[in-house]
């Protein structure tokens, strides 16, 4: 399989090159800002995008024009980006996820189950920590976990999300899913989902020790995606969760 990388100069870029080689596939090349995206897409069977939200529309348009599937691991996406993805997914297979690791997606499945079974009287808080260079918060993984909790409760995360507390905020609003973000050092990614009720607490934790786990998952997703029909997919479908 010939796999092209959009955002090849970033931290994930080299990890992806290594993972592609380990799995016996071909690195078709990579582009960054002002690179020849069209040439890369023409040389690739599937694209993996770990760049930035700013170039996503151009990447989607080019992939649709060429009929090539794309895995989107870029974080910091806004609502309009998801509309663009939904539109492009009518024509090509697209997998978009906040995290490509097996462990995180298993964690999301556990969070959804716990939120469904325990009910809204358990408070849910999501804590994440990443390296000092990360530019978006909460992390894409934290939002993925928040969506899993909201799905378990059958609510819209947008309407039940608490993103920041400072000063005299008043008591915690029942049913909210809280987020807290820490930044420092070279942390690849730590995530904790805390479910707290009176007199007891459950903590579900995932710690990423290096970026290779995300790269291996992205390559697995890319290969899987080449066998799919046009549509929008996620990692839980790749892993059969």
């Amino acid at each position: 399989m010939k796999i092209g990388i959009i955002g090849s100069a970033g931290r994930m870029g080299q990890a992806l090159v290594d993972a592609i080689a380990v799995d016996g596939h071909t690195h078709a090349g990579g582009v960054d800002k002002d690179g020849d995206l069209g040439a890369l897409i023409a040389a690739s069977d599937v694209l993996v995008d770990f760049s930035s939200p700013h170039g996503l529309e151009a990447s989607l348009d080019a992939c649709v024009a060429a009929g090539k599937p794309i895995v989107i691991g870029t974080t910091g996406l806004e609502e309009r980006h998801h509309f663009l993805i939904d539109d492009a997914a009518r024509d090509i297979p697209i997998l978009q996820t906040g995290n490509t690791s097996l462990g995180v997606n298993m964690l999301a499945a556990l969070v959804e189950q716990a939120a469904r079974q325990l009910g809204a009287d358990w408070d849910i808080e999501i804590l994440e920590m990443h390296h000092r260079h990360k530019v978006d918060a909460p992390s894409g993984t934290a939002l993925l976990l928040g969506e899993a909790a909201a799905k378990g409760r059958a609510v819209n995360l947008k309407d039940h999300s608490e993103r920041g507390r400072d000063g005299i905020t008043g008591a915690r609003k029942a049913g909210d899913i809280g987020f807290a973000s820490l930044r420092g050092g070279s942390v690849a990614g730590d995530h904790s989902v805390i479910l707290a009720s009176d007199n007891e607490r459950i903590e579900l934790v995932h710690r990423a020790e290096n970026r290779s786990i995300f790269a291996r998952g992205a390559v697995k997703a890319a290969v899987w995606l080449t066998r799919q029909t046009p549509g929008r997919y996620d990692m839980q479908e790749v892993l059969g969760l």
Side-chain angles (χ1 to χ4, degrees), residues 34-114:
D34 301 325
D36 191 343
L37 179 60
L40 175 65
I41 291 175
S44 305
D45 296 316
V46 59
L47 285 301
V48 178
D49 187 349
F50 275 95
S51 57
S52 71
H54 306 296
L56 181 60
E57 184 170 5
S59 298
L60 289 172
D61 288 346
C63 285
V64 167
K68 298 294 178 69
I70 181 171
V71 174
I72 300 170
T74 302
T75 59
L77 301 182
E78 300 174 356
E79 189 173 15
R80 67 182 185 88
H81 296 117
H82 290 286
F83 285 130
L84 293 171
I85 293 169
D86 288 339
D87 186 53
R90 296 188 181 99
D91 299 307
I92 59 172
I94 299 177
L95 188 147
Q96 185 274 320
T97 181
N99 193 296
T100 53
S101 86
L102 172 62
V104 162
N105 284 279
M106 179 59 72
L107 175 60
L110 296 172
V111 169
E112 180 182 341
Q113 181 182 8

Side-chain angles (χ1 to χ4, degrees), residues 139-190:
S139 68
T141 302
L143 294 174
L144 181 152
L145 296 171
E147 291 287 359
K151 183 178 180 181
R153 287 184 169 177
V155 299
N156 187 327
L157 180 62
K158 184 178 179 180
D159 299 329
H160 295 81
S161 179
E162 173 57 61
R163 298 289 186 89
R165 301 184 179 101
D166 185 36
I168 301 173
T169 61
R172 189 186 197 282
K173 185 178 177 182
D176 272 0
I177 297 170
F179 293 86
S181 298
L182 307 177
R183 296 289 178 265
S186 59
V187 179
D190 289 354

Side-chain angles (χ1 to χ4, degrees), residues 5 7-18 27 50:
I5 303 171
S8 59
R11 289 178 174 80
M12 278 300 300
Q14 187 56 54
L16 279 166
V17 171
D18 294 341
H27 175 218
F50 275 95

